[in-house]
Amino acid sequence: MGKRIGIEVSIAVAEAVKLCDVDVISAYPITPQTHIVERLSEIVADGELDAEFIPVESEHTAISVAAGASATGARVYTATSAQGLALMHEILFIVSSMRLPVVMTVANRALSAPISIWCDHSDIMAERDIGWIQTFAINGQETYDLTFHAFRVAEDHRVLLPAVVNFDGFTLTHVIEPIEMAEKEAVDRYLPPFQPKLRLDPDHPITMGPVGVPEIYSEARRQLEVSLLSSKKVIVEAWEEFGRIFGRYYHPIETYRTEDASTILITMGSATETAMLAVDSLRDKGQKVGLVYIRLWRPFPHEEFFEAVKEAKVIAVLDRAISYGMGGGPVFSEVKASLYNLTQRPYIKNFVAGLGGRDIPIENFIEMVDRAEFSAANGLPPTYEHLDVREE
Amino acid sequence: MIEIRFHGRGGQGAVTCVELLAKAAISEGKYAQGFPSFGPERRGAPVMAFLRVDDVPIRLRQKIYQPDIVVILDPGLLHTKEIISGLKENGLIIANSAESVEQLRERLPYKQRLAIVDATKIALEVLRVPITNTTMLGALIRATNIVSKEAMIKALKERFGYLAERNKMAMERAFLETVVSG
């Protein structure tokens, strides 16, 4: 068993990356991701990790360098937030389609304008369709653990796809909390050295990412889609193996007190544990309320999600981003789409909250449950509401 | 669960204070959550930092609205209304001040219990800088027993290396000189 210590979550992520023996780190600092890459540059400068730390002039270059380095067969890591992730946008598709297993931590932060350095999920929601595996952590331990998992899955020859680990800016990045640190020997058992299937090598020249004429483009893109959809099997397998080695078990969808629950809250990220306390308080009052949280966002685990919510009459979905012009948030859209083919569909209501670092206290979750149940009972249209926002 | 809010000025080490306490509490097998007031911080401007300590895992991740304890690192902040904002009626104010309990009670609207130490004087004499965070840790331990002195010293050593000794001296002196009043 590893040692349980008090550590800032960002520093713990850097220590996880070190234990993964990465070869190349290419990153540009941006709040609230900064502490990860600061610590990593220290680790490399102090000779604790034999890696190239490549400081770059922008995130566009950070991810371009990561792609190039990964194509040579290196194990590559980067991290970013908000505008930085947005600046990477065009390259993110190239990394996945070229099947480069880059791992990236995203410290979730709101997009400008107005400028906000604080947490919400609009940065990653704008990158839903980049073809990367995407997970969400609810606390420091998960962020740390998901880092090892991301490398293991990404580099699996049945997958060979890049992976994002999402953890909330400030509410996780800057928090000091207990984390059980892994032993190097255990990490080595879990994560074997990266064996690239194909790599750029001057002695055996190949071309990667050339023009995809109409005769081949559809097949290339279909292949990416199939790989991402079928990666779920490997993702689950890798979590099972993680549990066997480290004693902590993870699943694509997690449930909390959903037994006999007629109303279920849906969350992702650091608001989840606070929502659990709201569930406890409602259960104490005799209300049949549970919580489902989504850990695996891409590929979306439709079957597991269905299993988790199938008995619910009312579902209240939290979104920390807006899908502009659609009405509501992106998690709401996915949840609705995922459940549409059911014959008996639950009543689904959406709440947008926690934008740009706005706190989501326990009372907000209780309000979500109350309002969703009220709307369902009174036959109001299943739509979305903003919580805790001044309308004038 | 105990919730503590620290008030200081950027550069006085409120965030380090929280870091040291969280690490010390966790090293003793407790659960803790330490965090800064999220956002850009400026040297000299009033800043806050927050700490939760409990015997069971902490799931609450909302802001601290109603602290049990406030710790004030800078005497110049004692009069600001933020100090007692949300502080529980049976709460505790731990202040860096050269004034006496009676003097403070007379000029400030504090209703809660008070613990006072002249941390600036101690820090200047022992550390030779007016950085009061580690000194105030001594006052906090004296008034609350939130962590043991031994765990705190261990955390100081891990954080400051050879500088830990003087910080330990400042902390221990504050521990002795803190006046706790009901």
Side-chain angles (χ1 to χ4, degrees), chain B residues 104-124:
Chain B
L104 281 186
R105 287 237 187 258
E106 203 179 296
R107 75 176 178 94
L108 296 167
Y110 296 165
K111 291 188 178 62
Q112 292 85 351
R113 284 179 299 135
L114 259 174
I116 292 172
V117 66
D118 191 351
T120 306
K121 179 164 168 268
I122 297 173
L124 282 172

Side-chain angles (χ1 to χ4, degrees), chain B residues 7 70-75 77-78 83 93-96 110 136:
Chain B
H7 296 263
V70 293
V71 181
I72 303 121
L73 305 184
D74 189 305
L77 297 172
L78 287 168
I83 299 300
I93 299 166
I94 304 174
N96 169 16
Y110 296 165
M136 288 304 288

Side-chain angles (χ1 to χ4, degrees), chain A residues 4-7 117-118 138-140 170-172 174-178 256 270 273-274 276-277 280 359 361-362, chain B residues 15 18-19 22-23 26-27 29-36 38-40 58-63 65 154 158:
Chain A
R4 176 182 171 277
I5 62 165
I7 186 168
I117 58 170
W118 296 274
I138 68 165
N139 58 33
F170 290 107
T171 44
L172 288 178
H174 285 55
V175 176
I176 294 156
E177 61 182 63
Y256 180 74
S270 68
E273 290 183 312
T274 307
M276 288 178 184
L277 296 169
D280 287 351
D359 204 20
I362 294 179
Chain B
V15 176
V18 157
E19 178 191 331
K23 289 184 172 179
I26 292 163
S27 77
K30 289 181 184 158
Y31 293 86
Q33 192 189 71
F35 50 98
F38 302 144
I58 299 170
R59 293 183 293 175
L60 191 62
R61 289 186 185 276
Q62 68 189 36
K63 289 180 184 170
Y65 294 101
K154 198 170 134 259
E158 277 169 18

Side-chain angles (χ1 to χ4, degrees), chain A residues 375-388:
Chain A
S375 301
N378 290 281
L380 301 177
T383 176
Y384 78 104
E385 292 178 23
H386 282 260
L387 270 193
D388 192 20

Side-chain angles (χ1 to χ4, degrees), chain A residues 320-339:
Chain A
R320 299 194 73 168
I322 300 172
S323 181
Y324 290 96
M326 181 61 187
V331 183
F332 181 46
S333 295
E334 310 299 63
V335 162
K336 271 194 301 186
S338 185
L339 299 180

Side-chain angles (χ1 to χ4, degrees), chain A residues 33-247:
Chain A
Q33 152 266 37
T34 325
H35 292 183
I36 303 175
V37 293
E38 275 176 2
R39 178 70 191 125
L40 277 170
S41 73
E42 235 171 48
I43 287 171
V44 173
D46 291 349
E48 288 178 50
L49 173 67
D50 182 18
E52 289 291 328
F53 186 98
I54 305 178
V56 289
E57 91 300 348
S58 78
E59 287 84 0
H60 189 278
T61 307
I63 191 65
S64 299
V65 167
S70 182
T72 68
R75 179 172 284 168
V76 183
Y77 176 79
T78 188
T80 192
S81 287
Q83 309 306 121
L85 183 64
L87 189 52
M88 289 182 175
H89 181 72
E90 66 157 318
I91 309 299
L92 296 173
F93 296 86
I94 297 172
V95 177
S96 56
S97 199
M98 284 173 62
R99 313 292 300 275
L100 302 169
V102 172
V103 169
M104 170 160 67
T105 307
V106 175
N108 300 113
R109 161 183 158 180
L111 289 169
S112 302
I115 295 172
S116 167
I117 58 170
W118 296 274
C119 176
D120 70 29
H121 293 166
S122 46
D123 55 2
I124 194 64
M125 288 306 160
E127 311 297 339
R128 263 185 297 174
D129 295 334
I130 53 177
W132 291 46
I133 291 163
Q134 301 185 21
T135 53
F136 271 86
I138 68 165
N139 58 33
Q141 186 73 59
E142 275 196 30
T143 316
Y144 182 74
D145 292 349
L146 289 176
T147 306
F148 304 112
H149 177 261
F151 280 106
R152 168 144 169 163
V153 172
E155 294 172 1
D156 190 300
H157 280 198
R158 294 166 293 170
V159 177
L160 287 173
L161 285 171
V164 168
V165 177
N166 290 285
F167 79 132
D168 286 345
F170 290 107
T171 44
L172 288 178
T173 56
H174 285 55
V175 176
I176 294 156
E177 61 182 63
I179 295 181
E180 191 181 308
M181 305 300 277
E183 304 280 357
K184 177 76 176 115
E185 168 275 325
V187 174
D188 288 347
R189 255 193 301 148
Y190 183 67
L191 183 66
F194 175 35
Q195 307 274 359
K197 205 166 179 180
L198 286 173
R199 64 187 197 93
L200 293 180
D201 175 358
D203 294 333
H204 304 92
I206 55 165
T207 301
M208 287 187 183
V211 173
V213 292
E215 288 71 26
I216 197 69
Y217 185 87
S218 296
E219 284 72 19
R221 284 282 152 181
R222 170 69 179 145
Q223 215 177 52
L224 170 60
E225 189 205 14
V226 169
S227 308
L228 185 57
L229 287 172
S230 55
S231 70
K232 190 175 82 180
K233 186 171 165 283
V234 180
I235 289 167
V236 170
E237 225 178 78
W239 271 328
E240 284 165 2
E241 177 67 4
F242 189 91
R244 280 191 288 275
I245 295 181
F246 298 95

Side-chain angles (χ1 to χ4, degrees), chain B residues 9-23:
Chain B
R9 291 185 186 276
Q12 284 179 331
V15 176
T16 306
C17 212
V18 157
E19 178 191 331
L20 289 165
L21 280 162
K23 289 184 172 179

